[in-house]
Amino acid sequence: MIPAAFGYRRAGDLADALIRLGQGGVTVLAGGQSLLPALKARTARAETLLDIGHLTELSHITDNGSHLAIGATTRHCDLAASDLLRERLPSLAGAAALIADPQIRHMGTIGGSLAHADPAADLILAGIALDASVVLARRDGVRVIALRDFVLGAGRTAIEPGELITEVRVAPDTGPWSHRKFHRDALEWAVVAVAVSSGRVAISGLAPVPVRAPGVEAALKRGAGAAEAAALADAGTDPPTDRTAGADYRRHLARVLTRRALIEIGVAP
Amino acid sequence: MTESGSREDVEIKLSVNGRPVAAAVEPRTTLAGLLRDELGLTGTNIGCDTTSCGACTVLLDGRAVKSCTVVGAQAHGRSVVTIEGLADGDRLHPVQRAFHEHHAVQCGFCTPGMVLAAVSLLGSAPGPLTEQDVRLALKGNLCRCTGYHNIIQAVLAVANTQAVPAVSNGDE
Ligand SMILES: Cc1cc2nc3c(=O)[nH]c(=O)nc-3n(C[C@H](O)[C@H](O)[C@H](O)COP(=O)(O)OP(=O)(O)OC[C@H]3O[C@@H](n4cnc5c(N)ncnc54)[C@H](O)[C@@H]3O)c2cc1C
Ligand code: FES
Ligand code: FES
């Protein structure tokens, strides 16, 4: 599994990274846990990798009062172990702890996860439940976009050429949470997964990007029990049938995982 | 040729098993390739080469990573510990000794990665560990021989009975 040859540039700092990105011809390398397997399998190609994985100025978790700011190169293991996150955003720390295995969590970053936009990405799922937003920087400016508008489809995002994810912003949410995944084996991406945080419910595996379950959220607001609310988990969706699972099975998983998640956070059965 | 289009070798400096190493690596050379082919440290095994089996696990700044899925250039300025760097002379690391005592090895192919994943776990979790903790921490390491039972027992024995010395991390 030897990838096609590519060049390598180590970004000096964020400003240097943005300049090089603006010049084009480079592919950002963060943790490499999605990009390198794809390059090795030759399902992706790169002219030159621009390594930002070591940039400590992008690796931080800061409490800004109304929101927590998480730097793009913050690794999954650091999200999972952060006392600040565990206190103020436990569902995000919990989601990070459930990604792949410790080795992958030691390298993989939140920015890389979002940019890679796998339909089953756990941090996207948790972030959609939390109404997270994404900060995109380019040489000549910065914009902030809701995560819901950032993920456009499987592997597709709103990142424009020359833009880098620098930060993820999430309002604190200390309410009860649950993150449940169904996968076929230990390192498999989830077929269907459900993230619940304070009555907000997001589900992956029903569409190319994780979706909110408005029917479930409304049912919870009017005091429905877990079974009644979870029966609406797949309402209004049109799940795919592929080699992993059929549409009906995905619907079934969504309802079962949602019910279990709701019971876990204390909703009456 | 523009600077950003260069595919030239990358000059890197790192510490490997406590010794400083300087190397010029092709950008696509993995850390596993660097260790095995350039530095002759063949204790790091390559099983799947697709980030799944954990046989290639080494410590990067003290934390377990899959060296088939890290390029050598990413290790610049950092410290790498491989299975060759774990023992202190003739004295086995406690995890190595526990693997021996609990018969946690059969063919041995998964063993270097398993041991380093366990060392990483013990370094990050100071308190006592449950069997479930150990199973989850080793979920990225496949063993086709032992059925895992003795491996789990070996790691639990170290976690819950002995003080684990820190692994040498930098270039002293
Ligand atoms: C076996 C295996 C199992 C996995 N299982 C799961 C799982 O269960 N759940 C889960 O969520 N993830 C899983 N992952 C993926 C893992 O979370 C990756 O860490 C993540 O998808 C990519 O993060 P990275 O930092 O490694 O990014 P990289 O691989 O370095 O980059 C991924 C992509 O993002 C781009 N990119 C990276 N950073 C930025 C940035 N700041 N701005 C713009 N673009 C950027 C890159 O150019 C590239 O296209 C798994 C991976 C493997 C190998
Ligand atoms: S060889 Fe690296 S994970 Fe299998
Ligand atoms: S001892 Fe043979 S693979 Fe584990």
Side-chain angles (χ1 to χ4, degrees):
Chain A
M1 304 278 287
I2 298 171
F6 48 73
Y8 174 92
R9 300 292 317 187
R10 196 179 160 79
D13 55 19
L14 173 59
D16 176 47
L18 294 179
I19 289 171
R20 290 188 186 282
L21 212 50
Q23 290 163 348
V26 294
T27 302
V28 173
L29 173 71
Q33 301 304 289
S34 291
L35 182 57
L36 295 175
L39 289 170
K40 288 171 73 182
R42 302 203 181 201
T43 55
R45 286 207 158 240
E47 185 60 34
T48 296
L49 300 186
L50 176 66
D51 191 356
I52 62 160
H54 58 284
L55 293 182
T56 45
E57 66 188 302
L58 288 178
S59 176
H60 58 82
I61 304 173
T62 323
D63 192 344
N64 288 347
S66 64
H67 69 263
L68 278 85
I70 301 163
T73 61
T74 309
R75 296 181 193 272
H76 305 331
C77 61
D78 295 326
L79 297 176
S82 157
D83 288 334
L84 177 58
L85 218 56
R86 282 155 72 145
E87 192 192 316
R88 306 267 284 151
L89 263 175
S91 66
L92 197 65
L98 291 172
I99 295 173
D101 60 32
Q103 289 95 321
I104 292 168
R105 296 198 294 271
H106 288 151
M107 288 300 294
T109 67
I110 186 168
S113 246
L114 268 46
H116 183 62
D118 188 283
D122 287 294
L123 296 178
I124 297 182
L125 176 67
I128 296 259
L130 290 164
D131 291 317
S133 46
V134 181
V135 181
L136 294 169
R138 58 199 303 153
R139 245 179 107 169
D140 52 2
V142 173
R143 64 183 173 125
V144 184
I145 176 173
L147 179 59
R148 300 178 104 152
D149 301 324
F150 171 85
V151 280
L152 302 177
R156 289 198 305 121
T157 70
I159 300 178
E160 304 267 354
E163 280 186 329
L164 186 75
I165 302 176
T166 52
E167 196 173 289
V168 179
R169 292 183 181 167
V170 196
D173 181 351
T174 55
W177 64 277
S178 174
H179 192 102
R180 293 194 163 242
K181 310 206 266 180
F182 180 84
H183 42 74
R184 294 173 306 169
D185 64 50
L187 285 192
E188 194 71 63
W189 294 80
V191 180
V192 172
V194 175
V196 180
S197 197
S198 291
R200 295 180 286 185
V201 181
I203 308 180
S204 68
L206 296 178
V209 299
V211 292
R212 288 282 281 270
V216 181
E217 294 180 4
L220 289 175
K221 271 205 192 102
R222 58 170 196 267
E228 187 191 341
L232 301 164
D234 58 313
T237 65
D238 182 16
T241 289
D242 57 25
R243 66 191 170 124
T244 309
D248 286 346
Y249 187 49
R250 291 176 185 275
R251 290 180 185 280
H252 170 75
L253 287 174
R255 293 193 290 255
V256 170
L257 292 176
T258 302
R259 179 169 48 81
R260 290 181 186 163
L262 295 178
I263 289 171
E264 186 184 346
I265 67 163
V267 176
Chain B
M1 181 179 256
T2 63
E3 228 195 338
S4 71
S6 164
R7 287 179 183 173
E8 281 160 26
D9 287 359
V10 188
E11 305 282 340
I12 58 170
K13 285 190 177 147
L14 64 159
S15 142
V16 178
N17 297 331
R19 290 204 205 98
V21 169
V25 290
E26 214 192 327
R28 63 176 163 174
T29 299
T30 61
L31 179 56
L34 171 69
L35 293 168
R36 290 178 54 86
D37 303 336
E38 316 281 329
L39 304 179
L41 296 169
T42 52
T44 302
N45 287 332
I46 298 177
C48 65
D49 210 4
T50 56
T51 336
S52 307
C53 75
C56 64
T57 299
V58 302
L59 302 182
L60 186 60
D61 288 341
R63 307 204 281 202
V65 301
K66 292 177 170 174
S67 63
C68 72
T69 310
V70 175
V71 286
Q74 285 175 289
H76 174 70
R78 304 177 71 175
S79 93
V80 175
V81 173
T82 69
I83 195 69
E84 289 91 343
L86 218 47
D88 177 8
D90 284 342
R91 282 192 46 237
L92 292 180
H93 184 277
V95 174
Q96 290 174 307
R97 206 176 320 123
F99 268 56
H100 182 189
E101 282 163 7
H102 288 80
H103 190 57
V105 180
Q106 286 186 31
C107 80
F109 194 81
C110 70
T111 311
M114 221 31 116
V115 167
L116 288 163
V119 171
S120 175
L121 166 70
L122 297 168
S124 66
L129 295 174
T130 65
E131 178 180 334
Q132 184 66 4
D133 294 332
V134 176
R135 286 189 182 276
L136 282 175
L138 297 182
K139 94 189 235 203
N141 294 76
L142 298 183
C143 175
R144 300 284 84 161
C145 304
T146 63
Y148 300 100
H149 183 80
N150 291 356
I151 294 174
I152 308 293
Q153 294 311 313
V155 179
L156 280 173
V158 188
N160 297 338
T161 59
Q162 309 177 12
V164 185
V167 176
S168 139
N169 217 341
D171 20 355
E172 295 92 333

